Amino acid sequence: MGAGKSMKIYLAGPDVFLPDAVEIGRRKAQICAQHGLTGLYPLDNSVDREAATASLMIFKGNEAMMESADAIIANLTPFRGPSADAGTVYELGYMAGRGKLCLGYTNDPVSYAERAARHYQVVTTADGRLIDAEGLTVEDFGLPDNLMMMHALDLHGAPLLTPKAPPADIWRDLTTFEACVRLAAAHAQRLPGPL
Amino acid sequence: MGAGKSMKIYLAGPDVFLPDAVEIGRRKAQICAQHGLTGLYPLDNSVDREAATASLMIFKGNEAMMESADAIIANLTPFRGPSADAGTVYELGYMAGRGKLCLGYTNDPVSYAERAARHYQVVTTADGRLIDAEGLTVEDFGLPDNLMMMHALDLHGAPLLTPKAPPADIWRDLTTFEACVRLAAAHAQRLPGPL
């Protein structure tokens, strides 16, 4: 990145569903600024939620924000089940497809297979596969979530960051988020010119 | 599409986790062939699942398959929770980011808010928002899943296809899948030349 242009980072995550979503976004953007970067938080798109086209307006706002960003930091903390929030996962895929820098973190360091077993009845078959009650395979590579997202980070950015143990408030502790911001800042400094 | 070149469609979905995953893939590819299209099914990538690098090899195989495809048909039937399979959602985002034709279906036509309320304790706040037991907002736009995926289909392909009622076997009924294939075939015919 050139010295005159700050790397823009799309701040994806189920954070937007928190009752204090605006405050979390403000803190995330502030951490980016402390590292010389610009954080773009989806709630920055002000939309009338009562309008018939509200959800489409939110989509268009988020897509335009992703287009304008150089990178994504995705909060992949599990959301209503053993995997990350679907909207966040879509956005990670979109940014990978656009060739942007992909970074992510989760505040739950447990493996997917272990987490699935907490939510569902998981058994081992005679030939050693893990399956759920419907007979569907439980992915068991020791990764924290589905391999597509985990290796997308490995190959399109940096490996998923996790704390050693879950923090007391998994929705509001930004320690691991800040570690992602540091990675982005280091990446921005290595680049010779504007993206 | 030119007459000499068949549109290639990446067949994304949690189908790969079924005990009869290979047979489902064969049937999906056969339906594509009946409509003059080529279906690419992730299990076509043969990987030694015991190898230390198995998950990375699967990722690379799937990404290469997506790169070679002109379109995606994503099975967004809810998987281990109220939303679609995370791997499938990532792939839908990736293909949207690559500018490919995005089609999708679900065999569960219920709205996200209604489905979330089946899995979790959902209540209405004094100001009319739906929230879960952790206080996080439950998206309530009447859509079958997170708005990012739903409007991605609207704007990058065609609206999500759903049956009027869930079929008896939501994992193996391919009626709505075939409707997506018909849409893809119609799209292929409208295009003037090779993609």
Side-chain angles (χ1 to χ4, degrees):
Chain A
M1 305 284 303
K5 182 172 173 284
S6 172
M7 179 190 256
K8 290 185 197 161
I9 306 178
Y10 184 75
L11 304 175
D15 315 53
V16 293
F17 300 126
L18 287 166
D20 47 346
V22 174
E23 168 61 14
I24 294 285
R26 198 193 58 74
R27 285 177 55 205
K28 282 191 156 183
Q30 192 173 48
I31 290 169
C32 289
Q34 284 163 358
H35 293 272
L37 309 175
T38 303
L40 304 178
Y41 189 64
L43 276 196
D44 294 349
N45 301 308
S46 58
V47 164
D48 173 9
R49 292 193 159 250
E50 299 304 312
T53 57
S55 64
L56 184 60
M57 293 301 103
I58 294 170
F59 175 87
K60 286 183 173 176
N62 291 356
E63 193 176 80
M65 206 177 244
M66 287 194 282
E67 282 301 312
S68 78
D70 308 298
I72 182 173
I73 296 180
N75 176 1
L76 298 171
T77 303
F79 179 75
R80 293 192 188 127
S83 277
D85 166 53
T88 306
V89 172
Y90 171 85
E91 292 170 344
L92 177 62
Y94 186 83
M95 293 296 268
R98 300 301 289 153
K100 315 263 186 169
L101 178 71
C102 294
L103 303 172
Y105 70 99
T106 173
N107 272 339
D108 179 358
V110 164
S111 77
Y112 177 82
E114 190 175 332
R115 195 179 308 112
R118 286 181 190 168
H119 285 77
Y120 299 96
Q121 195 185 346
V122 172
V123 297
T124 306
T125 61
D127 61 346
R129 280 188 314 126
L130 291 185
I131 58 168
D132 66 17
E134 289 188 277
L136 277 73
T137 301
V138 175
E139 204 180 278
D140 185 24
F141 293 113
L143 301 170
D145 208 328
N146 184 288
L147 71 90
M148 291 307 297
M149 292 135 62
M150 298 301 101
H151 292 310
L153 293 172
D154 292 336
L155 298 183
H156 296 285
L160 182 80
L161 294 187
T162 61
K164 285 202 172 60
D169 187 340
I170 60 162
W171 295 121
R172 291 174 186 82
D173 189 302
L174 298 181
T175 311
T176 313
F177 167 76
E178 184 159 11
C180 283
V181 175
R182 282 204 189 89
L183 283 180
H187 188 92
Q189 293 222 326
R190 278 200 305 275
L191 293 178
L195 282 176
Chain B
M1 305 286 301
K5 183 171 172 283
S6 173
M7 180 190 256
K8 289 185 196 160
I9 306 178
Y10 184 74
L11 304 175
D15 314 52
V16 295
F17 301 126
L18 286 165
D20 48 345
V22 174
E23 168 61 14
I24 295 284
R26 197 192 57 73
R27 284 177 56 206
K28 283 191 155 182
Q30 194 173 46
I31 289 169
C32 289
Q34 285 163 359
H35 292 273
L37 308 175
T38 302
L40 305 178
Y41 189 64
L43 277 194
D44 294 348
N45 300 309
S46 57
V47 164
D48 173 9
R49 291 194 160 252
E50 299 304 310
T53 57
S55 65
L56 184 60
M57 293 300 104
I58 294 170
F59 175 87
K60 287 184 173 176
N62 291 357
E63 192 174 81
M65 206 177 244
M66 287 194 282
E67 282 300 314
S68 78
D70 308 298
I72 182 172
I73 295 180
N75 176 1
L76 298 171
T77 302
F79 180 75
R80 291 190 191 128
S83 277
D85 166 53
T88 305
V89 173
Y90 171 84
E91 292 170 344
L92 177 63
Y94 186 83
M95 293 295 269
R98 300 300 289 153
K100 316 263 186 168
L101 178 70
C102 293
L103 303 173
Y105 70 99
T106 173
N107 272 338
D108 180 357
V110 165
S111 78
Y112 177 82
E114 190 175 331
R115 196 180 307 113
R118 286 181 190 169
H119 285 77
Y120 298 96
Q121 196 186 345
V122 172
V123 298
T124 306
T125 62
D127 61 347
R129 280 187 316 125
L130 291 185
I131 58 168
D132 66 16
E134 288 188 278
L136 277 72
T137 300
V138 175
E139 202 180 278
D140 185 24
F141 293 113
L143 301 170
D145 208 330
N146 183 288
L147 71 91
M148 290 307 296
M149 294 134 63
M150 297 301 102
H151 291 311
L153 293 172
D154 292 337
L155 298 183
H156 296 284
L160 182 80
L161 294 187
T162 61
K164 285 204 171 59
D169 187 339
I170 62 161
W171 294 120
R172 290 174 188 84
D173 190 303
L174 299 181
T175 311
T176 312
F177 167 76
E178 184 159 11
C180 283
V181 174
R182 282 203 190 89
L183 282 180
H187 187 93
Q189 292 222 325
R190 280 199 304 276
L191 294 177
L195 283 175

